Amino acid sequence: MKTGWKRSTPVIVPDDRTLLDMLHSFLRGRRITGVEPIGGGLSNSNIKLSLTDGEVVVLRIYNGGGMKGHIEKRILERVQNHLPVPGVLYHDFSLSRVEYPFLVLNWVEGFQLSELFKEGDTNKLSDAGHEVGRWLAEMHSIQFSALGFFDEELNVQEFLTIGEDSFRSVLEDIISEGYVEENIGSEMVEKIRRFADEQAYLLNRIGEQRSLVHSDFNPLNILVKTGGEGVEVTGILDWEFSFSHSPLHDIGNMLRYEDVENSPFLRPFISSYLQHGGELPAEWLQQAKMMDVIALCDLVSKKGCEETRLRDIQSLFRKTSREWERYAEIQENIR
């Protein structure tokens, strides 16, 4: 589960003077008593700050700039009353004080869902499946006017389509314009192309969908806590890649590493998703895996991907090919 992957950008930890300068309006005379970088992210920088009045917040710095901070802020504000997400306390995208945009978010208690998968307790994973499925259905109930990527105000600015032709086009663009072949080899790229040629027709059967898609919905970005009531989701994090499209993107991402035949998580996850209003087409698992092929190719499209990431992605491609017929059986039995 991205174990051992290296960051694509260095962690930014501003010095004390810079922190005071960039957060002057937010602090209102309070002092910072603790500065602790938070691990786990591969792109942006997250820093836990403790303040003199006891408040704990997260400073989220967008290393790459652009619109990601704007989109994440708008999404968090949009879903605040619907989903367990951190609240936006302060932001500065002006670049007037520092050279990068940033948000200040409230601290959310909990630990990454990925820790439960490492622990392997089947009862906890079953509980987690129910809880995550419920919240994902709620997320996907949030609809937009069209399919596509957002601008700073969450208007759909770049329109997308769903279907075989769109899938082929996007896949070929990622392969031809990036470093996919250099990173994973021409033999695997040809296998991916053949697989796409054979299976892309499935995406013509999805129908019109324009749900809020998280686009990085996986156990690393979900915080949970456990107790007498079972597993509770306390936070869904990292929304900067969100867009309007098919819910199957998030289904595929969540189930990327799952052993679909022996997973204590999968059945309760999908059952709860459906019970709470989520909708899935008949060939949902194969379609979700097809969409995840796009995501996997994108993850190895940059120059200089490290060996751990490449081995992981290659293993996932082989896993999808090997289990493809099993997906057909499973999607019929879990509805």
Side-chain angles (χ1 to χ4, degrees):
M1 201 172 291
K2 297 185 178 180
T3 303
W5 287 29
K6 295 180 181 178
R7 287 180 56 90
S8 56
T9 56
V11 176
I12 297 174
V13 183
D15 59 35
D16 292 347
R17 182 167 185 167
T18 302
L19 282 173
L20 290 175
D21 186 40
M22 62 196 289
L23 298 176
H24 175 77
S25 297
F26 169 70
L27 291 172
R28 299 187 302 277
R30 294 174 294 178
R31 289 182 292 107
I32 299 171
T33 59
V35 178
E36 180 185 345
I38 303 171
L42 297 175
S43 179
N44 301 312
S45 299
N46 298 294
I47 304 162
K48 180 181 180 181
L49 302 178
S50 301
L51 310 181
T52 48
D53 63 355
E55 185 174 10
V56 179
V57 300
V58 174
L59 172 63
R60 182 161 170 79
I61 297 172
Y62 297 90
N63 294 37
M67 289 199 305
K68 291 179 181 178
H70 294 269
I71 291 171
E72 183 156 33
K73 174 181 177 292
R74 291 291 186 184
I75 288 289
L76 289 173
E77 292 170 342
R78 174 77 178 267
V79 306
Q80 190 72 54
N81 296 323
H82 300 274
L83 301 170
V85 296
V88 178
L89 304 175
Y90 182 75
H91 75 281
D92 188 345
F93 301 147
S94 69
L95 309 185
S96 60
R97 292 181 179 271
V98 289
E99 63 186 26
Y100 32 76
F102 64 89
L103 293 177
V104 178
L105 307 171
N106 69 277
W107 176 258
V108 176
E109 295 291 343
F111 58 90
Q112 290 174 311
L113 175 60
S114 56
E115 295 302 313
L116 288 187
F117 282 91
K118 291 178 185 176
E119 183 182 323
D121 185 307
T122 57
N123 290 329
K124 290 180 181 178
L125 287 173
S126 178
D127 286 347
H130 282 287
E131 180 79 344
V132 174
R134 173 170 74 94
W135 287 119
L136 189 60
E138 180 69 22
M139 182 199 307
H140 290 160
S141 72
I142 300 171
Q143 300 281 307
F144 292 87
S145 60
L147 298 88
F149 296 112
F150 299 130
D151 66 10
E152 296 177 3
E153 302 298 324
L154 298 189
N155 300 308
V156 176
Q157 60 160 353
E158 184 179 344
F159 293 90
L160 301 172
T161 58
I162 294 178
E164 178 178 3
D165 292 341
S166 174
F167 175 85
R168 291 173 186 272
S169 175
V170 171
L171 180 65
E172 196 53 44
D173 284 348
I174 293 172
I175 292 173
S176 60
E177 296 175 8
Y179 293 85
V180 178
E181 188 164 347
E182 178 180 315
N183 284 327
I184 63 174
S186 57
E187 182 179 351
M188 178 156 282
V189 166
E190 285 310 306
K191 287 181 179 178
I192 292 169
R193 283 187 169 122
R194 287 198 301 271
F195 176 74
D197 287 341
E198 294 170 359
Q199 306 299 338
Y201 74 94
L202 289 168
L203 300 180
N204 293 328
R205 303 176 181 176
I206 291 177
E208 183 72 11
Q209 297 175 313
R210 50 183 187 276
S211 296
L212 172 61
V213 173
H214 183 283
S215 192
D216 199 15
F217 192 76
N218 65 69
L220 296 173
N221 288 329
I222 299 173
L223 298 181
V224 299
K225 65 179 182 181
T226 57
E229 300 299 319
V231 177
E232 176 187 350
V233 172
T234 59
I236 303 172
L237 312 178
D238 295 6
W239 292 83
E240 71 268 27
F241 298 113
S242 302
F243 66 116
S244 170
H245 212 261
S246 168
L248 293 170
H249 289 282
D250 289 334
I251 299 288
N253 201 316
M254 177 56 66
L255 299 179
R256 180 177 292 169
Y257 288 90
E258 280 299 274
D259 177 355
V260 295
E261 294 188 82
N262 301 295
S263 169
F265 178 88
L266 187 151
R267 184 178 292 274
F269 169 58
I270 295 299
S271 297
S272 179
Y273 179 80
L274 295 171
Q275 289 166 10
H276 289 91
E279 297 180 0
L280 293 174
E283 295 155 316
W284 61 271
L285 183 54
Q286 289 177 318
Q287 291 161 338
K289 291 290 184 177
M290 288 294 292
M291 290 186 175
D292 204 43
V293 167
I294 294 284
L296 294 175
C297 283
D298 191 53
L299 286 169
V300 290
S301 64
K302 306 297 187 292
K303 188 174 180 63
C305 289
E306 82 280 2
E307 284 300 316
T308 302
R309 177 186 298 218
L310 297 182
R311 286 195 301 270
D312 203 4
I313 298 298
Q314 289 170 319
S315 175
L316 288 168
F317 280 133
R318 288 191 289 267
K319 179 176 182 291
T320 296
S321 177
R322 183 174 63 251
E323 296 178 346
W324 188 252
E325 296 306 321
R326 291 291 297 127
Y327 298 155
E329 298 176 31
I330 290 165
Q331 66 197 8
E332 290 180 8
N333 295 327
I334 305 178
R335 291 283 309 163

